[in-house]
Amino acid sequence: MARKDVFANINSAESPRPERKATPGYATRGASRSMINSLGELAEKAAKAEQILQGEAVVDLDPALVDASFVSDRMEDDEAAFAELVDAIRERGQDTPILVRPHPAAEGRYQVVFGHRRLRAAALLARPVRAVVKPVVDVDHVIAQGQENSARENLSFIERATFGQQLLDLGYERRTIQLALSVDAPMLTRMLSVTGRVPSRVVAAIGTAKAIGRDRWLELAQLIEHPDNVARATAMIAEEGFSALPSEQRFERVLSQLKKPKVPPRRTGTVSASTWQADDKALTAEYKNTGKSFSLSLKAKDAGKFGRYLSENLERLYQEFKERESQ
């Protein structure tokens, strides 16, 4: 959805539809009043962000003086698409300026609000980057960055969800994150449900997964909630050859493996099973030795009596065993 459409939708939510008549005094009470106030705040922030994006004078800056944003909205670059961008800028120049702000902590430097790929291309081509320089506070920075990149880039579900999680971790309100991602409250809840349950190291190992949408990620999040599955997923991403797979295949491998029933671990060590029989064949004993456990089964008419005899003499037999072992 284009930015102006998002803003138009928010603004239109402030007033009732023409064909309906509001009940006098009703909209100023309770939950309705609260909702209208919230929508008003969103509209104000959206309008402010739109003003920032309109820009002012375009200047040429040395790319070496421009630092990255304090929050990333992209997990990795599509190198093929970036190569096309570099070729286009080399041939016809930079058509659209980037937006930067004076660096909040380093005098004489700048910080990208949006346009990271164009900045990187300019640095690669060793040419100035065309930019609009405007003072932008952090909250407007993230809204402008998120909306611009959502409009320009084919960001995947997990990239957008990860961006939203970063903003949440930085302490931004959910309403601000909704504006930055151009999503409603239920969609933001689904996004954060995924990033809140799937460990960040697993997300990073899987990557952008451009073709994997919301429902598949939610399915993975539900599976990985079990502590055993977290360990299984962590082991999978560390397997040799995993990182060499395309991102979508990495996702499918983790999901398919977590769907399989957990295989019980194999017993280690040697298991020996033997049978002993008395000379008179009146008693047979079957025993299994795993090294850490020993089981004995007696079979005979008088097996019960012999078993009791063994149990009554275990202390003596054990002491004899210790004496023999110490010799």
Side-chain angles (χ1 to χ4, degrees):
M1 180 183 292
R3 289 192 306 274
K4 63 182 181 181
D5 293 332
V6 175
F7 303 144
N9 289 339
I10 292 173
N11 287 326
S12 65
E14 293 186 76
S15 56
R17 297 181 182 273
E19 65 271 16
R20 294 183 180 178
K21 293 183 179 180
T23 302
Y26 176 77
T28 62
R29 296 196 305 269
S32 294
R33 180 179 181 180
S34 214
M35 179 184 69
I36 289 174
N37 289 340
S38 296
L39 291 173
E41 290 174 15
L42 289 177
E44 183 180 348
K45 289 181 179 180
K48 194 171 184 181
E50 182 71 2
Q51 289 172 1
I52 290 170
L53 297 178
Q54 289 173 0
E56 292 178 340
V58 177
V59 298
D60 289 338
L61 295 177
D62 181 352
L65 295 176
V66 186
D67 296 325
S69 171
F70 63 91
V71 60
S72 174
D73 51 35
R74 189 178 294 104
M75 294 175 66
E76 60 189 42
D77 263 331
D78 183 335
E79 292 304 322
F82 177 69
E84 293 178 4
L85 175 64
V86 172
D87 289 341
I89 292 178
R90 181 186 290 114
E91 292 177 7
R92 63 175 185 268
Q94 182 187 335
D95 295 330
T96 308
I98 68 174
L99 178 63
V100 303
R101 66 175 182 170
H103 200 291
E107 187 175 354
R109 298 190 64 79
Y110 304 91
Q111 190 175 62
V112 177
V113 177
F114 58 73
H116 292 78
R117 295 170 72 249
R118 281 165 280 169
L119 173 65
R120 181 184 167 199
L124 185 65
L125 294 170
R127 62 173 63 181
V129 61
R130 299 178 66 237
V132 170
V133 181
K134 294 194 71 171
V136 181
V137 297
D138 286 356
V139 65
D140 295 329
H141 178 132
V142 297
I143 292 174
Q145 178 181 343
Q147 292 186 344
E148 175 70 10
N149 286 322
S150 292
R152 286 180 173 274
E153 302 295 337
N154 182 26
L155 299 180
S156 66
F157 170 83
I158 196 60
E159 285 181 293
R160 287 160 56 78
T162 301
F163 180 54
Q165 184 66 51
Q166 289 181 68
L167 296 183
L168 186 69
D169 293 341
L170 287 170
Y172 288 96
E173 296 178 354
R174 285 184 175 240
R175 292 193 296 271
T176 299
I177 303 173
Q178 286 174 231
L179 277 174
L181 293 172
S182 299
V183 297
D184 58 16
M187 175 57 78
L188 179 61
T189 297
R190 294 185 186 99
M191 287 178 164
L192 298 179
S193 171
V194 170
T195 53
R197 289 184 286 179
V198 182
S200 57
R201 62 185 180 277
V202 175
V203 171
I206 290 174
T208 58
K210 296 287 187 182
I212 306 300
R214 175 197 65 196
D215 292 344
R216 305 293 306 287
W217 275 104
L218 284 170
E219 182 181 9
L220 177 62
Q222 291 169 354
L223 287 169
I224 212 168
E225 274 189 302
H226 195 284
D228 288 346
N229 281 346
V230 171
R232 291 172 67 189
T234 303
M236 274 184 275
I237 65 177
E239 291 175 356
E240 184 177 357
F242 181 86
S243 60
L245 296 172
S247 183
E248 285 80 6
Q249 289 186 27
R250 297 197 292 267
F251 176 91
E252 295 292 354
R253 171 170 290 190
V254 173
L255 181 66
S256 62
Q257 290 298 316
L258 293 188
K259 282 183 172 181
K260 294 180 180 179
K262 184 180 178 182
V263 179
R266 294 182 178 179
R267 291 182 177 180
T268 57
T270 303
V271 178
S272 62
S274 301
T275 302
W276 171 87
Q277 189 175 53
D279 291 338
D280 59 4
K281 298 183 180 181
L283 180 67
T284 300
E286 293 181 356
Y287 55 88
K288 292 182 180 180
N289 183 10
T290 68
K292 291 185 177 182
S293 66
F294 187 94
S295 60
L296 177 66
S297 175
L298 301 175
K299 294 182 179 180
K301 179 180 178 181
D302 294 331
K305 292 181 179 180
F306 184 65
R308 283 196 302 272
Y309 170 80
L310 286 177
S311 63
E312 291 168 356
N313 289 274
L314 282 176
E315 182 65 29
R316 178 180 60 80
L317 292 171
Y318 180 63
Q319 292 300 328
E320 291 177 0
F321 164 76
K322 287 175 64 178
E323 290 174 6
R324 191 185 69 175
E325 289 294 306
S326 63
Q327 293 176 356

